[in-house]
Amino acid sequence: KGWTNPQYLINMALSLEHRTLGQKTIDGVLCEGIEATGPDGSTAQLWVDVQTGYPVRAEIESTKGGVRTTGTLDQFRWNVDLSAEGIEPEIPAGYDPL
């Protein structure tokens, strides 16, 4: 589950040292945000839809070995029903199931 579970993202951010950022509208959605700081000094801003409680955006920044890395997770689609219709698995030739 991990990163694909909205409650996991929220719990992970809240388990770290954090501060509230207040409210902000993102892509037309009213959100409430926190900024969390990891033990390694990395920071993340997590913005959650006030109405649904689902994450809308996560912005992460860290520096390791003098290299600064940033990333943004957004455009989440939570609780989407998936169908196997039209999906054909590609099984390599000679594959033997365990």
Side-chain angles (χ1 to χ4, degrees):
K1 294 188 178 196
W3 291 96
T4 63
N5 180 322
Q7 194 60 54
Y8 170 84
L9 289 173
I10 294 167
N11 290 345
M12 184 177 60
L14 290 174
S15 73
L16 300 170
E17 180 181 325
H18 62 276
R19 67 182 181 91
T20 61
L21 297 173
Q23 294 186 337
K24 169 171 133 173
T25 301
I26 299 173
D27 298 330
V29 176
L30 180 61
C31 298
E32 195 143 329
I34 65 168
E35 183 173 71
T37 304
D40 62 354
S42 60
T43 59
Q45 289 187 356
L46 179 63
W47 295 93
V48 176
D49 183 330
V50 169
Q51 184 177 354
T52 66
Y54 285 112
V56 171
R57 177 176 289 155
E59 299 169 353
I60 303 154
E61 182 177 317
S62 68
T63 303
K64 291 182 182 177
V67 177
R68 181 175 162 250
T69 305
T70 61
T72 301
L73 305 171
D74 63 359
Q75 299 181 11
F76 295 107
R77 294 185 62 201
W78 303 111
N79 294 332
V80 174
D81 291 329
L82 299 177
S83 168
E85 184 179 324
I87 298 175
E88 293 290 328
E90 291 184 31
I91 302 172
Y95 173 78
D96 291 323
L98 296 175

